[in-house]
Amino acid sequence: SRTVLNELGKPSNLTEPQYIKENARLAESTVLSLQLQMEDILSAFERADQQADALIAQFEEAAREGIQKKWDDVRDENAEKYTQFFSTEQDVLMAQLRLIEFYAAHSDALSIDAENERVLFEAVDLQEEEALLRGEIMRLRAAQKDALQADG
């Protein structure tokens, strides 16, 4: 779940290089699992659309147009919310995965400041790259939050 992914990137879980590499593999499978769950939910809208079409076809032609319009409105409103959320969620998940993979690729070069819960690199370029990756996650989460609040 998303909680697992959040935990894998925490400094307290990055103390040993071999665990960091295991975390990266676990993160990949977690992201894949979440992607599959998102696809299942979105495919439910497609199935519902097909079922609705079959039901609507049973009505007399005069009523069909109005019923179809109502269904289209309901479907579009709900499907759009899920599609938008999953699109932004996909971006967040991929950004988190990139950060965890970055940690795995540089596991021998990082150290943990446990007191301040920070990942540190002696090389300035690695520290800057890590900051950019973390910043991208924060930016995407903020955009996702804004989008959800805009939808009410």
Side-chain angles (χ1 to χ4, degrees):
S1 76
R2 189 176 186 195
T3 304
V4 171
L5 206 55
N6 291 338
E7 289 295 318
L8 291 175
K10 286 188 174 179
S12 58
N13 291 315
L14 302 170
T15 56
E16 298 291 329
Q18 71 269 22
Y19 296 141
I20 298 170
K21 290 181 169 93
E22 286 177 28
N23 286 354
R25 286 192 294 277
L26 180 57
E28 288 174 11
S29 65
T30 300
V31 167
L32 179 59
S33 174
L34 289 168
Q35 288 172 328
L36 292 173
Q37 290 173 30
M38 287 186 270
E39 288 173 15
D40 284 347
I41 292 168
L42 291 176
S43 70
F45 283 103
E46 292 174 23
R47 289 191 304 274
D49 205 28
Q50 292 168 354
Q51 292 169 350
D53 286 347
L55 289 172
I56 292 168
Q58 295 174 7
F59 285 90
E60 292 181 22
E61 191 171 341
R64 223 179 287 155
E65 186 177 323
I67 295 169
Q68 183 69 53
K69 169 116 178 64
K70 290 267 189 213
W71 167 247
D72 290 346
D73 291 346
V74 168
R75 181 203 58 222
D76 291 348
E77 179 183 334
N78 289 295
E80 179 64 27
K81 288 177 185 175
Y82 280 99
T83 301
Q84 182 180 6
F85 174 78
F86 288 152
S87 175
T88 58
E89 183 69 1
Q90 176 77 11
D91 293 341
V92 171
L93 294 174
M94 294 310 294
Q96 288 180 292
L97 182 58
R98 282 191 298 277
L99 179 63
I100 293 168
E101 288 175 337
F102 172 80
Y103 290 147
H106 303 288
S107 60
D108 293 332
L110 64 80
S111 62
I112 302 300
D113 175 356
E115 186 176 323
N116 295 308
E117 281 281 312
R118 291 197 55 217
V119 177
L120 303 173
F121 294 92
E122 284 190 33
V124 173
D125 61 326
L126 293 178
Q127 194 70 58
E128 288 174 348
E129 190 172 348
E130 191 252 1
L132 289 173
L133 290 167
R134 288 178 99 41
E136 179 67 2
I137 293 168
M138 292 186 326
R139 184 191 68 75
L140 289 167
R141 283 184 175 156
Q144 184 180 49
K145 182 179 177 184
D146 289 347
L148 289 173
Q149 288 175 342
D151 288 339

